[in-house]
Amino acid sequence: MAISTHVTTVLNGTISAVKSVLPLTMETDKPNLINQPFEQEALSVLIGMTGDIPGRLIIEGSESCMSRIGEAMFGMPLEGEMLESFTSELGNMIAGNLATTLAQNNISMDITPPTVLVGKAKMYGFEKAICLPIHLQNTGTIHIILMIRI
């Protein structure tokens, strides 16, 4: 499979995964390329991807946005350690759903345990990445960052 086909399949699979996991109305912006470092403002989860699609998946958003996502899913706003734990599990749900979607397209992808990052951080170790902004109605914006090494 060509690199561009892999990237398109991963992007479409990511959008599908987010739609199936989050019970919110959403709108995606056009994906854009970012160079290192990626600068996080508040809260994110990083999950490694192995197999046919090696790289990393990062889901980043403000604490208030992540808390509202938790409220939409579980009926109560989250904060502190509960919010961090939820962010980790949200990453697992989206990445696991993405792996399942890719398997249906004969692309093998496994995921690593999630790493939650809190506060301002700069991430290096990639040449270019794709950022997919997703606006969630009455909730905020999350950014899906795909660092694919193909």
Side-chain angles (χ1 to χ4, degrees):
M1 215 180 236
I3 292 172
S4 61
T5 304
H6 268 313
V7 171
T8 301
T9 303
V10 172
L11 277 172
N12 289 335
T14 301
I15 293 168
S16 174
V18 171
K19 284 181 178 179
S20 69
V21 169
L22 299 184
L24 297 161
T25 301
M26 63 188 66
E27 183 178 310
T28 58
D29 277 355
K30 182 179 176 185
N32 55 68
L33 283 177
I34 57 174
N35 295 310
Q36 66 179 341
F38 166 68
E39 296 188 41
Q40 167 185 299
E41 291 299 317
L43 185 60
S44 71
V45 57
L46 179 146
I47 296 175
M49 303 181 305
T50 62
D52 294 339
I53 309 286
R56 290 171 278 194
L57 168 71
I58 299 170
I59 302 165
E60 187 260 348
S62 68
E63 286 188 15
S64 62
C65 178
M66 293 296 195
S67 180
R68 286 194 289 273
I69 292 170
E71 184 173 11
M73 293 177 76
F74 301 112
M76 60 185 251
L78 304 172
E79 59 185 39
E81 287 182 15
M82 285 292 288
L83 179 59
E84 293 166 14
S85 177
F86 166 74
T87 301
S88 175
E89 192 52 40
L90 178 65
N92 263 340
M93 289 186 283
I94 291 173
N97 199 295
L98 171 59
T100 300
T101 299
L102 292 177
Q104 294 167 352
N105 288 288
N106 296 319
I107 299 172
S108 172
M109 185 186 96
D110 289 319
I111 59 174
T112 64
T115 300
V116 175
L117 302 161
V118 179
K120 288 187 178 244
K122 289 183 181 181
M123 290 177 228
Y124 294 88
F126 65 96
E127 194 171 311
K128 291 191 186 301
I130 299 167
C131 177
L132 178 66
I134 299 177
H135 307 286
L136 305 168
Q137 187 175 22
N138 301 320
T139 303
T141 301
I142 59 173
H143 298 95
I144 308 289
I145 316 302
L146 291 164
M147 300 171 181
I148 301 172
R149 295 184 321 255
I150 299 179

